[in-house]
């Protein structure tokens, strides 16, 4: 799997590739990441990659031509001149979700376009971008942080990246757990002031522990993200026991 990033700040990307659990995927070459700076593809003495917007207004707009040359270089280097997905990070894009990360983890990678300033010239988007993605309803200074978030979300789903293959199957939003929030977790010490670890977790009774964790998933999700409960119900991911527990919560 390979990701190519079009970014004028490649120095923001490198530290992520050398830290954390996912670094093993980058170090081993399981996930290849290469940055392409549009400034390296300019043809003027000032290496200009932006200019004022037509129609007036504040800010600057990233120019089409340096981005197109950088994209062409990335595609040629991949040996895939036209078929690679091109993702642009934009407030108008679809939300980055666990389902989107899983979809991308099953592919061969993409070119990630990291815009800056007021944005990039719309003609580049219309000519080349195949998908637009957003982290949420807020605005960032550039696309590098969304690109890093996507890289992390996708990479941790790949085989062998996490220490335990079952780790991501229990994550929040994971389809394996019904798309619900994860349950709370506890570790040592067993007692912290007046706060004790729930007794069931110390019981060694695996079936009871599993049921407790499922009930806590349902409780947390119902309290904090009831829309996920509705989605799980619509998808047929809730069991009869789940529904019984949810009725108990409503009656409390």
């Amino acid at each position: 799997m390979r990701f190519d990033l079009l970014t004028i700040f490649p120095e923001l990307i490198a530290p992520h590739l050398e830290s954390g659990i996912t670094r093993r995927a980058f170090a081993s070459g399981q996930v290849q990441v290469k940055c392409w700076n549009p400034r390296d593809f300019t043809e003027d003495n000032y290496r200009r990659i932006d200019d004022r917007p037509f129609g007036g207004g504040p800010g600057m707009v990233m120019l089409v031509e340096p981005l197109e040359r950088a994209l062409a270089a990335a595609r040629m280097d991949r040996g895939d001149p036209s078929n690679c997905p091109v993702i642009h990070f934009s407030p108008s894009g679809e939300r980055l979700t666990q389902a989107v990360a899983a979809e991308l983890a099953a592919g061969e990678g993409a070119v990630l376009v990291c815009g800056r300033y007021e944005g990039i010239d719309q003609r580049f988007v219309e000519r080349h971008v195949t998908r637009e993605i957003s982290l949420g309803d807020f605005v960032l200074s550039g696309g590098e942080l969304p690109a890093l978030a996507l890289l992390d979300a996708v990479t941790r789903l790949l085989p062998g990246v996490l220490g335990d293959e079952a780790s991501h199957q229990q994550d929040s939003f994971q389809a394996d757990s019904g798309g619900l929030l994860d349950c709370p977790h506890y570790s040592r010490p067993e007692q912290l002031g007046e706060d004790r670890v729930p007794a069931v977790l110390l019981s060694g009774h695996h079936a009871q522990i599993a049921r407790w964790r499922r009930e806590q998933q349902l409780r947390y999700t119902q309290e904090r993200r009831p829309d996920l409960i509705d989605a799980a119900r619509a998808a047929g991911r809730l069991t009869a026991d789940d529904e019984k527990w949810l009725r108990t919560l409503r009656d409390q």
Side-chain angles (χ1 to χ4, degrees), residues 1-3 16 22 25-26 30-31 87 96-110 112 133 146-159 161-162 168:
M1 175 178 289
R2 171 170 166 168
F3 289 94
H16 175 79
T22 54
F26 306 123
Q30 184 178 5
V31 179
I87 296 174
L96 178 59
T97 64
Q98 191 73 1
V100 171
E103 177 188 344
L104 293 172
E108 297 182 359
L112 308 181
I133 289 178
L148 290 174
L150 184 146
L151 282 174
D152 193 89
V154 170
T155 300
R156 68 190 309 279
L157 296 179
L158 300 178
V161 174
L162 300 183
H168 68 75

Side-chain angles (χ1 to χ4, degrees), residues 195-207:
D195 298 323
R196 297 185 62 87
V197 173
V200 65
L201 298 179
L202 307 176
S203 68
H205 195 298
H206 297 298

Side-chain angles (χ1 to χ4, degrees), residues 175-180 207 210-218 222 228-250:
D176 297 335
S177 62
L180 307 179
R211 187 60 209 168
W212 180 88
R213 285 175 171 163
R214 180 63 173 182
E215 290 173 350
Q216 297 310 303
Q217 273 192 290
L218 293 164
Q222 180 62 49
L228 298 179
I229 293 287
D230 294 338
R233 181 177 289 119
R237 293 173 175 168
L238 298 182
T239 67
D241 285 342
D242 291 339
E243 294 287 11
K244 182 179 179 181
W245 173 250
L246 288 169
R247 286 193 296 271
T248 300
L249 290 178
R250 289 194 293 268

